[in-house]
Amino acid sequence: MDIRGTRLRKPSDEALAFTSSMADDGRIARQVISVNMAHMAALVRAGEVDRRVGAKCMSFLAGASPKISSRAKSEDFHQQLEQEAVDLLGVETAGFLNYGKSRNDQVATAIRMELRGSILVLLGSIMELQVALLEQVKRDGGVLVPGYTHLQRAQPTTFAHHLFAHFDALQRDVERALQLYQRVNQSPMGSAAMAGTSVNVDRRYVAGLLGFSGLVRNAMDGVSSRDVAVEAISCATITALDASRLAEELILWSSSEFGYIELSDAYAASSSIMPQKKNAVAAEMARAKAGSVLGGLVAACAILKALPYAYNLDLQEVTPHLWRAMDDVTSTVRVLAGMVASASPKKERLALAVRGDGSTAVGLANHLVKEHGVSFRQAHVVVGELVRISAETGAPLYEVAASKLAAVSASLGKKFTMEGEAIESILDPARFLGEVATEGGANPRLITKELKAREGDVASTRSMLAERKAALAAAERKLRTTTLGLAREVKLRE
Ligand code: ARG
């Protein structure tokens, strides 16, 4: 018996192929089977379905394959599964599977369940990348590196300070993903098609068996909304953007123009023509993926825009964008973790780069303010003039400053005199950083404390991840026991 019944004639092959989600349903097939189990358990428990009928259905579900059948001409896996049950058990029995539920609440629930897992996998990968950054800090955090604004040398900083900046952006990604998880982890089951159902389905019981921490309160919202999918793709996009900026720096810093880091050959490719090449291809793909993930976000938003309530098949088109975004961002972050872990700073190059390029000039200006009683803008102008002379003559700033400070400041009506040695020391990058007094600044003395705090962040993510995984595993065990317990009853009696 075809569960589509006789209300409609056969769909055209073309229309069926066009509207079917079979090609994408493999991702949620396991979850769809679980939802069927939890729903049947609730029906039997409430006395809505005869125990024997329920037991047979459970026995079928316990052995059901999450494989998408290439032979089945189904609209989706939901239909395939029910059709298989009817073919096997007969419609008198399997015909109760969809009593009090709809594909609408079922698919919304299955997506949320799969998404939970994807979020946890993503979180694990972000954490790996964070750990790789901290490992670099432990090895070479104290190395001085040029800091940039407008991609022009700005001020020296430490390798640690730069790595912490990326770590902290990723930490916000972690926080966002954890908040997202809470909103995803609400069960739509019991919404049925959109209005709820007269069948006694204990929504909280079903939610518990499926590991949800609560319910999507409104049945129409339960089946109509995909904002958690959009939110997940948004989170994926933000993380991918953060990753792309790190990827870009790996590419820049490993180029011969910068020459600040050496990447492992494991993440590079050679050229088919130029024998000397070592291309940072993994980082290039990581940079590019942000574009694809953002494309998915735009697509999902555009599909949802102005879509009337409640369920429309348009919603089906959102789902593949969700999986692609989650997978792309996860592989991006993972590959970057490997690249960061295996990269090493080129210390001689970096030492040359932070010396004598005038990027500590603001230190001299600040000194003039503190010791010579001028405003910062007056000091800025004096030092700016010294830098101009240094740039024009090619003489290092400390030399120019030592010989010209008095004359240049005289034109301001002030006459500053300083020992050449004192000027050189003020302009020294290590001393410059040692004088940074603000929290979160690049003073090397702060590295140990800042590292500890971030190790604490990682530890707390790790334990939150473990907690959520344990909760899901416990629910899965309970669902299995419930299902097998019921399924066994038919075998015992027959
Ligand atoms: N294949 C659908 C999806 O992915 C499942 C729900 C279909 N509902 C319906 N009324 N046709 O969204």
Side-chain angles (χ1 to χ4, degrees):
M1 185 223 152
D2 184 347
I3 64 169
R4 187 174 147 108
T6 54
R7 165 70 181 81
L8 301 175
R9 275 174 285 238
K10 289 241 162 289
S12 85
D13 283 350
E14 191 185 19
L16 185 61
F18 186 62
T19 56
S20 164
S21 58
M22 289 289 266
D24 302 303
D25 284 350
R27 183 76 179 236
I28 54 165
R30 246 169 231 294
Q31 288 77 1
V32 167
I33 295 171
S34 295
V35 171
N36 273 276
M37 289 170 171
H39 183 71
M40 186 50 70
L43 293 181
V44 171
R45 186 164 170 266
E48 289 281 10
V49 165
D50 173 71
R51 231 182 143 74
R52 255 175 65 80
V53 169
K56 284 186 184 167
C57 289
M58 286 304 218
S59 163
F60 163 79
L61 291 170
S65 160
K67 281 223 162 52
I68 303 298
S69 155
S70 49
R71 279 173 298 124
K73 280 193 170 171
S74 299
E75 293 173 22
D76 47 34
F77 181 72
H78 313 269
Q79 197 182 50
Q80 176 193 314
L81 186 71
E82 190 185 347
Q83 186 68 58
E84 280 172 4
V86 167
D87 293 346
L88 208 79
L89 305 177
V91 72
E92 301 78 9
T93 300
F96 281 100
L97 276 172
N98 233 42
Y99 186 39
K101 75 172 165 62
S102 150
R103 284 182 290 177
N104 299 352
D105 55 351
Q106 181 159 292
V107 75
T109 307
I111 290 170
R112 284 167 180 263
M113 290 170 70
E114 171 59 18
L115 183 52
R116 288 187 308 209
S118 303
I119 295 169
L120 296 184
V121 171
L122 173 60
L123 274 165
S125 312
I126 299 177
M127 204 175 66
E128 255 177 67
L129 176 52
Q130 289 183 300
V131 168
L133 293 167
L134 296 188
E135 287 301 317
Q136 285 287 353
V137 170
K138 280 190 230 167
R139 275 198 296 275
D140 292 308
V143 170
L144 303 193
V145 302
Y148 293 81
T149 63
H150 311 269
L151 203 53
Q152 308 286 340
R153 296 255 176 97
Q155 294 176 0
T157 184
T158 62
F159 196 33
H161 193 241
H162 194 133
L163 295 166
F164 287 151
H166 284 293
F167 179 101
D168 290 0
L170 293 168
Q171 184 58 24
R172 289 189 294 278
D173 294 338
V174 166
E175 287 162 17
R176 265 188 292 268
L178 285 168
Q179 288 171 1
L180 162 72
Y181 189 91
Q182 287 178 3
R183 277 185 284 280
V184 170
N185 201 19
Q186 313 284 317
S187 173
M189 278 315 287
S191 299
M194 54 155 279
T197 168
S198 62
V199 181
N200 183 6
V201 181
D202 182 343
R203 292 192 63 196
R204 286 175 201 281
Y205 176 69
V206 174
L209 284 179
L210 296 174
F212 287 102
S213 63
L215 304 179
V216 178
R217 195 153 50 169
N218 178 284
M220 192 185 267
D221 180 38
V223 295
S224 310
S225 61
R226 289 294 183 274
D227 55 283
V228 290
V230 170
E231 188 180 352
I233 308 175
S234 309
C235 287
T237 302
I238 296 173
T239 302
L241 292 178
D242 290 338
S244 76
R245 299 182 70 177
L246 176 58
E248 169 68 357
E249 292 194 340
L250 292 179
I251 296 165
L252 280 178
W253 281 36
S254 64
S255 71
S256 41
E257 278 66 22
F258 283 75
Y260 295 165
I261 53 171
E262 185 68 40
L263 296 175
S264 159
D265 290 358
Y267 296 92
S270 58
S271 157
S272 61
I273 174 169
M274 296 164 284
Q276 85 285 6
K277 291 282 270 175
K278 175 174 171 182
N279 297 327
V281 287
E284 290 169 42
M285 281 309 287
R287 184 173 60 182
K289 285 291 184 194
S292 296
V293 176
L294 172 62
L297 176 60
V298 173
C301 290
I303 293 164
L304 289 176
K305 182 188 172 294
L307 193 66
Y309 275 39
Y311 184 89
N312 298 269
L313 199 59
D314 307 48
L315 295 178
Q316 175 177 291
E317 184 73 3
V318 172
T319 317
H321 292 294
L322 173 61
W323 306 138
R324 167 131 202 239
M326 296 305 288
D327 293 349
D328 275 349
V329 70
T330 301
S331 56
T332 296
V333 167
R334 207 171 265 164
V335 92
L336 283 179
M339 289 191 87
V340 168
S342 57
S344 45
K346 291 166 125 173
K347 295 180 194 167
E348 308 76 43
R349 265 299 280 236
L350 284 163
L352 280 177
V354 291
R355 288 227 144 252
D357 63 356
S359 69
T360 50
V362 69
L364 181 56
N366 288 349
H367 178 86
L368 296 180
V369 174
K370 282 181 210 222
E371 304 296 327
H372 297 269
V374 285
S375 78
F376 176 71
R377 189 56 57 216
Q378 290 171 299
H380 184 281
V381 169
V382 170
V383 178
E385 177 62 11
L386 296 173
V387 171
R388 191 187 63 75
I389 297 168
S390 156
E392 255 173 39
T393 59
L397 180 61
Y398 66 84
E399 259 179 47
V400 175
S403 59
K404 298 262 191 306
L405 178 62
V408 169
S409 58
S411 67
L412 259 179
K414 304 260 176 191
K415 192 142 185 189
F416 306 142
T417 47
M418 279 178 73
E419 295 292 330
E421 246 171 58
I423 292 178
E424 190 169 350
S425 151
I426 282 171
L427 290 172
D428 175 68
R431 156 138 186 210
F432 174 87
L433 288 174
E435 303 226 316
V436 170
T438 41
E439 232 178 284
N443 192 321
R445 276 196 302 277
L446 298 174
I447 294 177
T448 312
K449 189 173 135 233
E450 298 274 352
L451 177 64
K452 269 224 161 62
R454 285 166 181 84
E455 285 176 334
D457 290 342
V458 171
S460 100
T461 307
R462 208 184 284 286
S463 78
M464 278 190 272
L465 263 180
E467 239 171 66
R468 278 160 189 70
K469 280 185 190 161
L472 290 184
E476 217 173 299
R477 278 196 299 278
K478 191 163 173 226
L479 179 63
R480 243 199 118 58
T481 320
T482 309
T483 302
L484 293 178
L486 249 176
R488 238 172 251 133
E489 291 185 14
V490 265
K491 285 208 195 100
L492 291 179
R493 280 192 241 171
E494 276 154 4

